[in-house]
Amino acid sequence: MIVAKRKPFDEIKDMLKGYKKVLNVGCGTCVAVCLAGGEKEVDVLNAELDMARRLEDNPIEISGFTVERQCDREYLEALDAVVDEYEALLSMACGAGVQFLAERYPKKPVFPAVNTSFIGVNQDVGWYEERCRSCSSCVLGMTGGICPVTMCAKGLYNGPCGGTNNGSCEINKDQPCAWYMIYERLAAQGRLDCIMDVVPPQDWRNQTPRTVIQPGYKKPEAA
Amino acid sequence: MKSGSNLEKVLTAGHFAFTGELGPPRGANVEEVRKKAAYLKGKVDAVNITDNQTAMVRMSSWAASLLLIQEGLEPNFQMVCRDRNRLAMQADILGAYAHGIRNMLCLSGDHQQFGDHPQSMGVFDIDSMQLISMVKKMRDEKTFLSGAELDEAPNMFIGAAANPFAEPFEWRVHRLAKKINAGVDFIQTQCIYNMEKFREWIRRANDMGLTEKVYILAGVTPMKSVGMARYMKSKVPGMDVPDEVIKRLQGAGKGKVAAEGIKMACEQIEEFKEMKGVAGVHLMAIEWEHKVPEIAEQANVLPRPQVD
Ligand code: SF4
Ligand code: SF4
């Protein structure tokens, strides 16, 4: 899932300082699962904003509306009827959701309430770890299911580097060396041949916005 | 000859090579480069010019390399993958060659977190292995990484680093083999203190026939003090300093530790001269350039061979 973390309260408060009527739009998918921007977090943030603004003698009228998925047009529709009542929108979705919201209501200022952090896994309640940088050409088959782009501090395709330190990465004793783990896993599986050849330079064209169209589908003429 | 560099000539003629190292200044201090270079002149076959070593900004390695050429020394231009993408790298390789640089060392680079700009973005567009093959491609196929033809090839003698000690030890020789497949001509190893482990590494490299395909220069850094040895052991990633080394330095007595460190380095160099598969020594006397003449003398590597 996509993992996000709520922005520091003062930063959010500062973005909204000129607005008196705001709708906080939560998202019920990834950011709800990682406890950053679901219905509950919308309520908490709104209560905090309400209180803080009252103390400042600058009250804000803030409501909440959590959609199933902010990155899906189908679910945004429900907002159409209410958006006009507000001066600005606050979004607790990931960066994609915030943009989709801003795109749908181009006349409304839209502010992000979370910092979108990474694609990761749930290690325990409230504890998430990054696992994928969505590089667009997955090499996990060659690397024993351990991502060199994400888990190696230098994103090396032909590691480990000279700094590998008895299983730890050179940056920190508590950070495992991805390439040490890759070696160990492949060795245990008898598949070291996977990393014997030099991997050629990566195609980083993923730095332009990417599009995926699944087989059997096509891009609609007009969105 | 691939490059015709002095280092390549010395190695191909079968001489025991001896290279040094110079760290560019943290500023535009030309005199400092010239001063350090003067100590090394005539004492080494080529001088590694580090590239923002330990991720601290310094005078660029190609610029300091040019100063070295002006002083009549041969640079070994280091390039790390941390600070530039493939466009900048290829441009710098061409520029360096155009100005007479003939050796280069391809490195990943220490992580930016260690340096004076930990906020910077680590580039790592390509890694050190891919850098080696890119330089080889530019030299031998006369094309850029993209495959487009280039107008006059940069004929570099291509070097890389190797760490003979890091775990998994079994992988070490395979990694060396990978660098050879990528196209490396010479290797300079991490500083060696654990001789036993190094002997084992080179034995494996010999057994796999790797030492016939690449020149290996053993990395030597004399210990200046017990504190330095302790620091290297505990703080420098990838460094293997056995307790005996620290004990021997401790036993040297007050005021004699540095001399003992140099003596130990010279003993190592003597052993490397006889060691099958070792083609030379890379002396990294960091911020100790003025000691290089003394060390070279004591290690019996002078005069340096002149090969035409
Ligand atoms: S290689 Fe890593 S970053 Fe790329 S898709 Fe696979 S897991 Fe994600
Ligand atoms: S130590 Fe391992 S994980 Fe860290 S940068 Fe080097 S290869 Fe990558």
Side-chain angles (χ1 to χ4, degrees):
Chain A
M1 74 180 140
I2 292 171
V3 177
K5 194 172 181 205
R6 201 182 89 178
K7 280 181 174 288
F9 180 70
D10 288 343
E11 188 184 337
I12 301 173
K13 189 167 68 107
D14 196 51
M15 286 190 286
L16 298 181
K17 66 172 181 265
Y19 302 96
K20 296 208 179 299
K21 198 168 180 204
V22 174
L23 180 65
N24 185 356
V25 187
C27 177
T29 308
C30 306
V31 290
V33 179
C34 70
L35 312 176
E39 194 159 17
K40 202 177 108 234
E41 290 75 33
V42 168
D43 288 345
V44 171
L45 177 58
N46 286 3
E48 286 177 50
L49 282 166
D50 179 60
M51 173 101 72
R53 290 281 290 259
R54 247 189 288 172
L55 286 173
E56 286 174 3
D57 258 343
N58 177 22
I60 185 169
E61 203 182 307
I62 185 152
S63 330
F65 196 125
T66 298
V67 298
E68 182 71 29
R69 271 202 297 282
Q70 254 182 68
C71 57
D72 208 324
R73 212 168 259 124
E74 187 185 322
Y75 297 105
L76 285 185
E77 238 175 64
L79 288 166
D80 292 355
V82 297
V83 157
D84 274 345
E85 298 165 29
Y86 299 92
E87 294 164 27
L89 303 175
L90 184 65
S91 167
M92 297 199 81
C94 74
V98 179
Q99 290 184 63
F100 220 33
L101 197 64
E103 192 178 313
R104 192 171 182 98
Y105 309 110
K107 295 204 178 96
K108 292 282 167 207
V110 173
F111 300 100
V114 304
N115 289 323
T116 306
S117 306
F118 49 76
I119 301 177
V121 295
N122 197 339
Q123 284 287 28
D124 203 341
V125 184
W127 167 13
Y128 312 97
E129 279 178 5
E130 186 174 19
R131 284 293 184 276
C132 174
R133 295 261 164 100
S134 62
C135 76
S136 276
S137 45
C138 195
V139 295
L140 289 173
M142 168 202 102
T143 55
I146 296 163
C147 173
V149 184
T150 314
M151 306 307 286
C152 165
K154 299 176 188 170
L156 306 177
Y157 282 84
N158 294 284
C161 73
T164 182
N165 198 3
N166 295 317
S168 298
C169 172
E170 70 173 27
I171 60 161
N172 181 342
K173 277 221 159 62
D174 302 324
Q175 176 65 40
C177 168
W179 276 96
Y180 182 87
M181 295 193 294
I182 291 169
Y183 173 88
E184 293 287 307
R185 190 168 294 167
L186 290 175
Q189 294 178 0
R191 291 171 63 218
L192 280 177
D193 53 306
C194 288
I195 51 170
M196 287 293 182
D197 294 331
V198 179
V199 178
Q202 165 71 313
D203 182 347
W204 290 122
R205 260 176 292 188
N206 65 3
Q207 288 174 343
T208 56
R210 292 163 283 176
T211 302
V212 171
I213 296 162
Q214 303 293 16
Y217 292 82
K218 62 183 191 336
K219 208 172 176 176
E221 291 311 318
Chain B
M1 283 281 153
K2 287 166 173 160
S3 70
S5 76
N6 182 55
L7 180 61
E8 182 181 10
K9 284 185 200 158
V10 166
L11 285 167
T12 11
H15 296 292
F16 190 77
F18 192 61
T19 54
E21 189 153 311
L22 186 156
R26 295 260 294 154
N29 189 342
V30 174
E31 281 320 306
E32 194 194 322
V33 181
R34 295 199 206 283
K35 200 173 116 198
K36 285 181 175 175
Y39 294 122
L40 298 168
K41 193 165 182 181
K43 313 295 180 200
V44 293
D45 303 315
V47 181
N48 285 38
I49 307 295
T50 53
D51 182 12
N52 285 345
Q53 87 196 69
T54 61
M56 305 278 278
V57 181
R58 290 163 183 277
M59 182 188 291
S60 62
S61 56
W62 64 259
S65 291
L66 297 192
L67 292 173
L68 233 74
I69 294 177
Q70 287 171 11
E71 295 303 300
L73 285 92
E74 179 169 285
N76 180 17
F77 165 49
Q78 295 195 182
M79 182 180 271
V80 297
C81 299
R82 180 193 58 230
D83 303 336
R84 333 164 169 66
N85 70 5
R86 61 189 84 179
L87 276 86
M89 287 173 136
Q90 292 178 97
D92 279 352
I93 293 163
L94 294 177
Y97 182 77
H99 282 283
I101 293 169
R102 294 292 178 268
N103 308 303
M104 67 176 285
L105 195 77
C106 306
L107 304 168
S108 307
D110 295 321
H111 196 271
Q112 59 277 12
Q113 161 184 308
F114 292 110
D116 60 350
H117 291 73
Q119 310 84 346
S120 64
M121 180 176 183
V123 180
F124 303 108
D125 177 17
I126 58 174
D127 63 25
S128 61
M129 204 73 78
Q130 295 160 346
L131 173 57
I132 295 167
S133 48
M134 184 171 82
V135 187
K136 186 181 160 68
K137 187 170 181 172
M138 292 172 80
R139 182 188 70 194
D140 296 350
E141 295 171 31
K142 299 183 176 41
T143 63
F144 290 107
L145 183 58
S146 64
E149 247 174 73
L150 52 83
D151 182 5
E152 197 153 334
N155 295 322
M156 291 285 187
F157 194 43
I158 308 170
N163 182 339
F165 309 107
E167 295 297 333
F169 183 67
E170 293 68 36
W171 180 246
R172 293 289 118 200
V173 273
H174 295 295
R175 188 158 166 78
L176 176 63
K178 257 177 115 161
K179 289 199 173 173
I180 293 170
N181 289 339
V184 81
D185 300 311
F186 69 99
I187 291 284
Q188 291 171 321
T189 76
Q190 169 74 282
C191 315
I192 301 160
Y193 297 104
N194 188 339
M195 289 297 276
E196 208 174 309
K197 212 163 179 185
F198 182 77
R199 287 181 203 114
E200 176 58 20
W201 180 76
I202 204 85
R203 189 187 63 73
R204 293 187 188 193
N206 283 330
D207 287 351
M208 282 171 70
L210 301 179
T211 51
E212 284 156 33
K213 298 180 188 152
V214 70
Y215 297 107
I216 295 179
L217 276 59
V220 173
T221 292
M223 292 289 193
K224 293 186 210 177
S225 63
V226 177
M228 172 179 170
R230 285 218 187 94
Y231 179 83
M232 295 262 247
K233 184 184 177 78
S234 59
K235 293 276 163 12
V236 183
M239 200 69 80
D240 183 340
V241 184
D243 289 329
E244 299 89 75
V245 170
I246 298 177
K247 281 206 196 94
R248 192 172 151 187
L249 290 168
Q250 280 169 332
K254 233 182 163 6
K256 292 187 195 132
V257 179
E260 188 67 19
I262 291 178
K263 194 167 161 230
M264 288 162 79
C266 292
E267 288 168 15
Q268 285 183 295
I269 296 171
E270 290 303 339
E271 182 173 344
F272 293 137
K273 286 182 194 167
E274 306 301 322
M275 200 180 281
K276 182 171 176 254
V278 175
V281 158
H282 176 52
L283 180 73
M284 290 163 274
I286 308 142
E287 295 307 321
W288 229 23
E289 287 84 359
H290 64 282
K291 286 280 188 187
V292 171
E294 182 186 327
I295 299 166
E297 187 67 50
Q298 214 175 311
N300 289 313
V301 293
L302 297 179
R304 295 312 308 149
Q306 301 294 321
V307 188
D308 290 320

